[in-house]
Amino acid sequence: METIRGKVSHNLDLTDFYARLANYDRITLDLGTGDGKFAFCHADNFPNHFVIGVDSCRENLHEHSRAKLPNLLYIIASAQSLPQELRGLVSHITINFPWGSLLESLLNGDDRLLRGLESVAGSSAALDVRLNGGALAEQGWSLEYGAERIFENLTSAGWNLHKPEMLDSHVLRSFPSTWAKRLAFGRDPRAIYLSGCL
Ligand SMILES: C[S@@+](CC[C@H](N)C(=O)[O-])C[C@H]1O[C@@H](n2cnc3c(N)ncnc32)[C@H](O)[C@@H]1O
């Protein structure tokens, strides 16, 4: 499994990975973590949670992955091919403001993504997905219909989701991720929040 700290990649083997996870009762996976700010803030605020940020693009991760928090790890991987090492370990999955192939897979109900989420999730794992209007518009969907499609795909894959919630610019402004801040001050500061559990 390829991990990154600053600009340096490191292949973490299973023994070292499990050693790092020992003593943590909760593992959070932030998928499509971008520059990793949300994962960093979560790890900093919840020292008893182990937080794993995953993104397919390494360049954005250079800054936050330098952080020396014992409970924070960044992995370079595609959401459609999550590392086997994560199987059954994750208690909380977050997907904040996905775009590109991650968003496409949510919209298409891509089995590689949905099976991957199910396989990394432990029993009763929680899921939080935040979707924004601009990213959905780029894929030809309105915020409402895109969110509805993703809601249906996740529900069919076994997730029990609450009623979708609209997030406005005030909520986005206080949300600790780089993309949330950009959206809050951008042209279309609307997002929809889906949450639930397996
Ligand atoms: C708009 S950014 C959001 C970043 C972060 N979650 C935030 O709130 O600031 C979307 C991220 O999804 C990542 N992404 C897109 N497709 C992906 C895939 N198939 N696997 C992993 N990451 C992906 C992109 O590289 C990008 O960093």
Side-chain angles (χ1 to χ4, degrees):
M1 177 165 69
E2 185 187 354
T3 65
I4 191 160
R5 174 168 270 183
K7 291 185 178 171
V8 181
S9 295
H10 171 67
N11 199 13
L12 189 67
D13 69 27
L14 207 53
T15 313
D16 289 346
F17 180 50
Y18 286 162
R20 288 209 52 187
L21 297 182
N23 308 322
Y24 292 97
D25 52 5
R26 210 172 151 74
I27 298 175
T28 296
L29 175 73
D30 185 40
L31 191 53
T33 198
D35 66 0
K37 182 178 172 189
F38 176 83
F40 168 80
C41 291
H42 196 81
D44 202 28
N45 287 331
F46 299 96
N48 58 333
H49 295 187
F50 194 91
V51 184
I52 302 172
V54 173
D55 207 284
S56 50
C57 174
R58 67 192 64 235
E59 282 72 26
N60 294 339
L61 278 166
H62 292 164
E63 185 193 335
H64 289 293
S65 69
R66 280 182 220 279
K68 291 206 171 88
L69 296 180
N71 60 332
L72 177 63
L73 180 71
Y74 292 101
I75 295 175
I76 305 299
S78 151
Q80 293 80 0
S81 176
L82 289 170
Q84 299 277 332
E85 290 89 332
L86 300 179
R87 186 175 287 262
L89 291 179
V90 177
S91 31
H92 184 189
I93 299 170
T94 54
I95 306 179
N96 295 319
F97 316 111
W99 69 13
S101 66
L102 176 52
L103 181 58
E104 210 175 293
S105 285
L106 285 166
L107 284 164
N108 295 340
D110 183 344
D111 254 12
R112 296 169 306 158
L113 173 68
L114 296 174
R115 292 242 170 92
L117 294 179
E118 191 188 348
S119 105
V120 298
S123 60
S124 312
L127 175 69
D128 289 326
V129 181
R130 295 174 180 87
L131 302 161
N132 66 286
L136 282 162
E138 273 177 26
Q139 306 241 5
W141 290 84
S142 70
L143 177 60
E144 291 77 8
Y145 282 120
E148 198 177 308
R149 168 62 72 90
I150 291 172
F151 182 97
E152 283 162 8
N153 288 338
L154 290 169
T155 303
S156 303
W159 295 92
N160 298 305
L161 300 178
H162 305 296
K163 197 165 158 269
E165 275 176 46
M166 194 61 98
L167 307 178
D168 63 14
S169 61
H170 293 285
V171 178
L172 292 173
R173 232 173 277 167
S174 60
F175 188 79
S177 97
T178 298
W179 210 255
K181 296 279 181 303
R182 281 195 202 174
L183 293 171
F185 296 101
R187 272 189 303 160
D188 186 5
R190 294 173 314 137
I192 286 184
Y193 173 47
L194 307 178
S195 68
C197 61
L198 252 193

